[in-house]
Amino acid sequence: MLKVKDLHAFYGKSHILQGVSFEVGKGEIVSLLGRNGVGRSTTVNAIMGDVDRTGSIVFNGEEIAGLDAYQISRKGLAIVLENRSVFPALSVRENLILGVKDMRKVGRWKIEDMFEMFPSLARRADVPAGALSGGEQQMLVMCRALMGDPDLIMVDEPTEGLAPKVVEQVADLLTEIAKRGISILLIEQKLTIALKISARIYVMGHGRIVYQGTSSDFENNKQVRKDWLEV
Amino acid sequence: MFETIIFSLLNGLVYGLLLFLLSSGLTLIFSMMGVLNLAHAGFYMLSAYFAYSISIHLGFWYGLLFAPLIVGFIGAMVERYGLRKVHKFGHVPELIFTFGVAFLLEELVQFVWGRNQLAYNKPEILEGSLFTLFGADFPIYKMFMLIVSVVIFIILLSVLKYTRTGLIIRAAVGHPNVVGMLGHNVPLIFMVTFGVGTALAGIAGAIAGPVLGTYPGMASGLGGIMFVVVIFGGLGSLGGAFIASLMIGLIQTFAIAIDASLSDVFLLMDIVITEQTFMYDIWVTSLSQVAPLIPYLMMVVMLIFRPAGLMGARES
């Protein structure tokens, strides 16, 4: 589904990603772990073309490394950014409508589905998105990404700063999305969530992938956790 | 007194709405692309010249229709083949680029049409006065300008509020990269916005040419005020630009109409100003004499007390 090979990324002169390679299969949840500042967010932003990059990114058998963000998005690759990028002045409904790329096409997800899954969004459909709580905003941006009918979603730190109960909700939604055949690349700090829902784990350090394995392998590998994750 | 108020009100509205036609495009472009388009007033002037040339051959109405369209198209091309290429080098090169375009437009206009004011006239049907009040006439043409501005304003607002394109544009204001990641063609949106913005300036130029004069200085004449409107209203805020346009339009016309000076105020307090009084010149300068300065003064005061402007949201 998504094959990233030897990805390098740069912020000006800083060489942030130094040859990142990984894969996400169809309907698979894969987690990308690592300490702050090792380049996890840069990785997904580089895939979307928001950061200068070199290397190969093959999505659905097609090379997308030279494309603009909107072209990549139209190929079926969605991103949910770290900072809960709702359009604060627009209503919840308008935010969701903006997720639709082509009004003529009927996707897997409709606005009604979203409102059914998250009644709190339905109740506040005409409220400016900026007035929602952090958890609701997180749900909104994930729903907005689904409205575009993607084949793969990259989710950057969805549970950051959320209450435990809301974290649970996010995890449930991600599992539900994967069940419908959509792949997920999850960037997460909370190991428990990542281990609970994902099949495979990649760990990043210093702009490279330093470990890859299944969730159960990773759980037993204390050394990796000590070297690359624990502070 | 009553007639002065009525006429100043109407003139202020006409002038204010004209300012809004100009500043709405400027502020829209800025809030979306982060580019302060220094060539904006140049497009306003270019449109007046185009409208003049078309009006000679086909009549005023064709000029009013086609000049803004041509200028809008040129604006879109400037974005597509100029600004977009400069964009990746950052904001300062962009600013310098638009500065260059402004110069180019001014030179081009003088090269083609010469340095003198052109006889760009209003059509016969809009000559004459609409009504006479206390012996003073209100010209039909000013009412026409008022109506055109209001109609354009309503269209602009409806498109932004009720169409899908408008929704995408409102979202792209401040968050263009997120809109791009949702699969909307942001470069195209930029180009269209730039084109529409310059076309709005074009409409202003085509209707203002006959009354404010079509000459090479018309861009710099209104360019300064236009930036005052955008900064006063808050960079990037269409609502702020609307309020600021009307305020500046009204304040300036009222100031021109009032022939009072500080010495008159002192007179009320029984202080008589004579030529021997300290700083005599300042006390007898009338409000109408300083009218052109007032908008700039307003801008300075706004920048001191509320740097984001009336309704500005964008921090940078």
Side-chain angles (χ1 to χ4, degrees), chain A residues 3-231:
Chain A
K3 245 186 220 173
V4 175
K5 219 172 144 192
D6 200 25
L7 184 66
H8 291 254
F10 309 83
Y11 278 119
K13 278 184 182 150
S14 332
H15 193 172
I16 308 290
L17 297 186
Q18 309 181 352
V20 171
S21 304
F22 64 91
E23 274 183 56
V24 182
K26 190 166 165 48
E28 195 183 22
I29 302 184
V30 172
S31 284
L32 196 54
L33 307 177
R35 292 193 184 109
N36 277 330
V38 294
R40 297 164 305 154
S41 294
T42 307
T43 304
V44 285
N45 284 319
I47 291 172
M48 280 320 268
D50 214 28
V51 184
D52 287 340
R53 82 287 214 218
T54 63
S56 156
I57 306 161
V58 176
F59 181 65
N60 275 339
E62 226 178 312
E63 181 63 54
I64 57 166
L67 301 181
D68 269 355
Y70 80 93
Q71 293 165 317
I72 293 171
S73 164
R74 285 181 184 182
K75 302 257 181 226
L77 188 56
I79 184 169
V80 173
L81 293 171
E82 191 179 4
N83 46 15
R84 314 225 165 98
S85 48
V86 296
F87 302 116
L90 304 183
S91 73
V92 169
R93 191 188 306 276
E94 286 173 326
N95 265 276
L96 289 173
I97 292 172
L98 277 165
V100 183
K101 292 163 200 154
D102 187 344
M103 291 303 265
R104 283 156 298 190
K105 266 195 216 149
V106 182
R108 269 169 279 195
W109 312 79
K110 287 195 212 55
I111 267 198
E112 293 79 33
D113 300 338
M114 303 302 161
F115 284 158
E116 207 173 301
M117 266 193 290
F118 299 103
S120 70
L121 290 185
R123 274 197 304 277
R124 313 188 70 181
D126 298 309
V127 170
L132 299 182
S133 72
E136 286 169 330
Q137 290 192 3
Q138 187 60 47
M139 297 306 169
L140 179 58
V141 287
M142 295 212 299
C143 290
R144 189 177 66 190
L146 290 177
M147 294 293 290
D149 201 18
D151 297 324
L152 187 150
I153 304 189
M154 303 184 287
V155 192
D156 195 355
E157 300 258 13
T159 65
E160 198 185 9
L162 298 184
K165 216 176 152 190
V166 188
V167 171
E168 201 98 325
Q169 256 186 314
V170 172
D172 290 346
L173 176 61
L174 290 174
T175 321
E176 173 65 27
I177 294 170
K179 261 193 213 147
R180 300 207 192 180
I182 297 166
S183 319
I184 294 172
L185 177 64
L186 174 66
I187 292 180
E188 197 37 90
Q189 285 279 18
K190 297 189 176 66
L191 276 188
T192 42
I193 291 292
L195 287 174
K196 195 173 123 193
I197 66 173
S198 46
R200 289 191 301 118
I201 303 275
Y202 288 94
V203 178
M204 279 186 82
H206 306 316
R208 288 191 188 86
I209 300 282
V210 291
Y211 168 87
Q212 56 175 309
T214 61
S215 297
S216 47
D217 274 350
F218 174 77
E219 258 190 297
N220 301 326
N221 195 332
K222 287 215 172 75
Q223 196 57 39
V224 172
R225 297 222 301 246
K226 190 168 161 254
D227 288 351
W228 299 106
L229 294 173
E230 279 151 24
V231 186

Side-chain angles (χ1 to χ4, degrees), chain B:
Chain B
M1 185 65 192
F2 182 65
E3 77 176 84
T4 315
I5 292 177
I6 293 281
F7 276 91
S8 295
L9 205 64
L10 282 169
N11 285 330
L13 271 179
V14 171
Y15 186 53
L17 284 168
L18 185 76
L19 281 181
F20 179 70
L21 272 185
L22 271 169
S23 51
S24 56
L26 187 68
T27 207
L28 211 58
I29 291 167
F30 175 81
S31 52
M32 189 174 292
M33 311 168 65
V35 181
L36 199 53
N37 180 16
L38 294 173
H40 202 68
F43 288 109
Y44 153 83
M45 173 169 70
L46 190 64
S47 179
Y49 276 94
F50 279 149
Y52 161 78
S53 289
I54 297 170
S55 75
I56 290 176
H57 299 291
L58 299 169
F60 174 84
W61 301 102
Y62 285 99
L64 179 62
L65 180 68
F66 287 119
L69 287 177
I70 299 170
V71 167
F73 178 76
I74 295 175
M77 290 303 108
V78 165
E79 198 283 330
R80 173 69 184 80
Y81 294 104
L83 210 49
R84 193 178 297 185
K85 300 229 187 307
V86 181
H87 183 72
K88 54 176 169 285
F89 301 112
H91 284 324
V92 174
E94 281 177 322
L95 208 61
I96 295 170
F97 174 78
T98 64
F99 195 49
V101 173
F103 263 123
L104 203 66
L105 289 176
E106 199 168 324
E107 290 300 321
L108 178 83
V109 158
Q110 294 183 39
F111 185 73
V112 177
W113 286 277
R115 287 171 184 278
N116 295 326
Q117 178 154 341
L118 297 178
Y120 178 24
N121 295 318
K122 37 197 156 186
E124 232 162 80
I125 191 171
L126 297 176
E127 290 282 3
S129 70
L130 186 67
F131 58 81
T132 310
L133 203 68
F134 305 112
D137 294 330
F138 188 76
I140 298 178
Y141 194 77
K142 284 202 173 160
M143 186 50 79
F144 167 73
M145 285 173 75
L146 202 68
I147 292 170
V148 170
S149 312
V150 169
V151 168
I152 298 290
F153 176 62
I154 292 171
I155 293 174
L156 184 67
L157 221 63
S158 317
V159 167
L160 280 176
K161 197 143 178 64
Y162 299 112
T163 67
R164 184 171 159 79
T165 314
L167 181 63
I168 295 172
I169 289 175
R170 277 187 291 148
V173 168
H175 310 86
N177 64 327
V178 179
V179 173
M181 286 174 179
L182 290 174
H184 304 295
N185 191 342
V186 172
L188 181 70
I189 296 168
F190 278 6
M191 187 181 88
V192 171
T193 306
F194 204 91
V196 170
T198 45
L200 286 174
I203 294 171
I207 62 173
V211 280
L212 297 181
T214 305
Y215 60 103
M218 70 185 287
S220 43
L222 217 54
I225 296 287
M226 189 178 72
F227 282 103
V228 172
V229 167
V230 171
I231 291 167
F232 191 83
L235 277 167
S237 163
L238 217 50
F242 183 67
I243 294 171
S245 301
L246 289 185
M247 265 177 77
I248 288 175
L250 288 170
I251 287 173
Q252 236 186 339
T253 43
F254 269 102
I256 288 170
I258 298 168
D259 195 31
S261 63
L262 284 173
S263 66
D264 297 321
V265 179
F266 289 134
L267 212 55
L268 292 177
M269 297 183 276
D270 286 329
I271 303 169
V272 179
I273 304 286
T274 65
E275 274 182 57
Q276 276 71 47
T277 314
F278 179 61
M279 294 205 298
Y280 168 78
D281 293 331
I282 290 189
W283 311 129
V284 295
T285 303
S286 70
L287 199 55
S288 56
Q289 283 173 297
V290 295
L293 284 179
I294 292 176
Y296 297 97
L297 200 66
M298 285 166 63
M299 177 177 77
V300 170
V301 171
M302 180 60 90
L303 282 175
I304 291 172
F305 293 104
R306 201 179 152 82
L310 271 182
M311 300 168 79
R314 206 184 161 106
E315 313 85 58
S316 57

